[in-house]
Amino acid sequence: MSNNSFYQQTHTNQTDNYALFKQQLLTSLREFLPADTRISIDSFSHNNRLSLDGLTILEPGSNISPTIYLESYFEQYEQGTDFTKIRQQILQYYHEHRYVQNIDVSFFTSLVKVRPRIVYKLIHYGKNRELLKEIPHFTYLDLAITFYYLVPGESSENASILIHNSHLAFWNISKDNLLLFAQQNTMQLLPDSFLPLTDLICSILPGAEAAEISEEYSANPLPMYVLTNKRRYFGACCILYPDVLKKISEKLNDDLILLPSSVHEFILIPSRFADHPGDFQNIVHEINVTGVAPEEILSDSIYFYNKGADRVSLLQS
């Protein structure tokens, strides 16, 4: 068999396995969701000309759902992870991000109604070039500032509507207007949260695990902090908030190394603990490979905040 024929057969087998995986997932999930729940898998244009399969779950009475991209879960399955464990991961992600109310989206035609809840977030520029053709944005280092409508609800019910260029045309406003609205709203609706990494971990994990992790991190001489927002939802953009990094650097009496943990947060380290800042590249890589869903990866870069200049820059390793 030629190398090309072997590749084609392998690719065909993987495609067949993926189709079976998706069908098994659709069937299996119905056992854990209310009757009449609509479950579908559709192809979405995402991340620089990539077409990703997204799972959506609409329970009765709801017309909005988080999109759960399946490629990373299938990779786990191909590597031997038990299907029931993968299903549990997907259900957990869904329950953490679902919105249980029905939303009348007709209000979106009125700028007066949407303006108070227009906010911004950070995504990677290079990984989202195709998406950025369709949405208003501003470049920021190797990232992009984009905009969304934060759906009203409890802090545990995070839902949003991405703002597209077509919305600006309909509202007859510019992206500069959009930025102004977002600058007024984001800090108010999503105030920043700065805390030691151990405190964040302990607030998420159950008691025994939290104590074990806390003891492990306490033995680590490297102090690590988390900057996010109160909802821990698209909180990486808190590095854009006026004076936030300045106040943190003054509190820690140092410049800052900024490690992108996900679109939801940054890990901050006082620069005096970074003799070779490039060494942190391994931390960022490990987070992105093992600890973050693909759609939530922010960047592979490391950033530096100079408190004297009050400026964030890309750190060259």
Side-chain angles (χ1 to χ4, degrees):
M1 181 183 294
S2 68
N3 288 337
N4 188 50
S5 297
F6 177 77
Y7 169 78
Q8 290 176 346
Q9 180 177 344
T10 302
H11 181 70
T12 300
N13 291 340
Q14 187 178 46
T15 302
D16 291 343
N17 289 342
Y18 184 44
L20 290 172
F21 171 80
K22 290 190 291 184
Q23 186 57 52
Q24 183 181 3
L25 189 60
L26 287 173
T27 302
S28 179
L29 285 173
R30 298 187 189 281
E31 301 175 16
F32 298 87
L33 295 164
D36 298 326
T37 296
R38 288 183 289 165
I39 309 173
S40 62
I41 297 175
D42 300 288
S43 181
F44 291 86
S45 178
H46 190 79
N47 282 356
N48 197 20
R49 298 182 182 178
L50 288 178
S51 182
L52 300 181
D53 286 331
L55 171 74
T56 56
I57 300 172
L58 289 174
E59 295 186 36
S62 176
N63 65 348
I64 188 169
S65 167
T67 302
I68 305 172
Y69 295 103
L70 297 179
E71 277 74 5
S72 64
Y73 296 107
F74 179 65
E75 288 178 8
Q76 292 183 50
Y77 181 70
E78 286 279 274
Q79 293 168 6
T81 302
D82 186 73
F83 178 82
T84 57
K85 183 176 181 180
I86 294 173
R87 181 186 61 204
Q88 183 58 37
Q89 291 177 15
I90 292 173
L91 284 170
Q92 181 178 345
Y93 182 90
Y94 166 69
H95 286 297
E96 288 176 353
H97 295 84
R98 69 175 176 169
Y99 196 81
V100 296
Q101 299 179 18
N102 194 48
I103 298 175
D104 178 9
V105 295
S106 64
F107 75 93
F108 222 64
T109 60
S110 170
L111 177 61
V112 173
K113 293 181 179 179
V114 300
R115 175 176 173 171
R117 300 191 69 83
I118 290 174
V119 291
Y120 56 59
K121 64 179 179 179
L122 283 174
I123 63 175
H124 193 267
Y125 186 92
K127 295 178 180 179
N128 292 280
R129 291 182 186 273
E130 292 302 308
L131 174 63
L132 291 173
K133 293 177 182 179
E134 304 173 7
I135 62 176
H137 65 277
F138 292 86
T139 57
Y140 179 77
L141 302 175
D142 63 339
L143 307 174
I145 303 171
T146 62
F147 304 90
Y148 65 100
Y149 174 85
L150 182 65
V151 177
E154 297 297 328
S155 60
S156 60
E157 297 177 350
N158 293 319
S160 60
I161 302 172
L162 186 64
I163 295 176
H164 286 68
N165 294 328
S166 57
H167 293 129
L168 298 195
F170 189 87
W171 296 329
N172 193 28
I173 63 172
S174 68
K175 70 174 186 177
D176 291 319
N177 295 136
L178 204 62
L179 179 61
L180 180 61
F181 301 156
Q183 288 173 330
Q184 294 171 342
N185 297 334
T186 310
M187 288 186 66
Q188 178 180 351
L189 296 175
L190 300 167
D192 63 280
S193 172
F194 173 70
L195 69 166
L197 178 60
T198 51
D199 289 2
L200 177 62
I201 293 174
C202 291
S203 69
I204 298 173
L205 296 177
E209 291 185 45
E212 182 178 346
I213 294 293
S214 179
E215 183 178 352
E216 178 182 340
Y217 274 87
S218 297
N220 188 344
L222 181 66
M224 304 176 79
Y225 302 87
V226 175
L227 176 61
T228 182
N229 56 41
K230 298 295 185 181
R231 289 196 180 197
R232 299 171 190 164
Y233 185 63
F234 294 134
C237 72
C238 289
I239 68 170
L240 303 175
Y241 291 5
D243 295 331
V244 165
L245 290 177
K246 182 178 180 180
K247 291 177 180 177
I248 292 173
S249 67
E250 290 175 350
K251 179 178 181 179
L252 300 178
N253 193 30
D254 205 349
D255 299 326
L256 303 171
I257 304 294
L258 312 179
L259 308 182
S261 177
S262 75
V263 293
H264 302 301
E265 66 277 312
F266 266 94
I267 293 175
L268 275 53
I269 300 171
S271 66
R272 63 180 176 273
F273 292 91
D275 293 333
H276 303 286
D279 293 344
F280 292 116
Q281 195 71 58
N282 292 333
I283 296 178
V284 174
H285 177 73
E286 183 177 354
I287 290 172
N288 288 342
V289 170
T290 65
V292 183
E295 65 270 23
E296 296 187 347
I297 292 175
L298 178 59
S299 174
D300 299 316
S301 301
I302 301 173
Y303 305 85
F304 179 76
Y305 174 75
N306 184 310
K307 69 185 185 71
D310 189 24
R311 184 170 65 90
V312 176
S313 61
L314 280 165
L315 185 63
Q316 301 299 321
S317 56

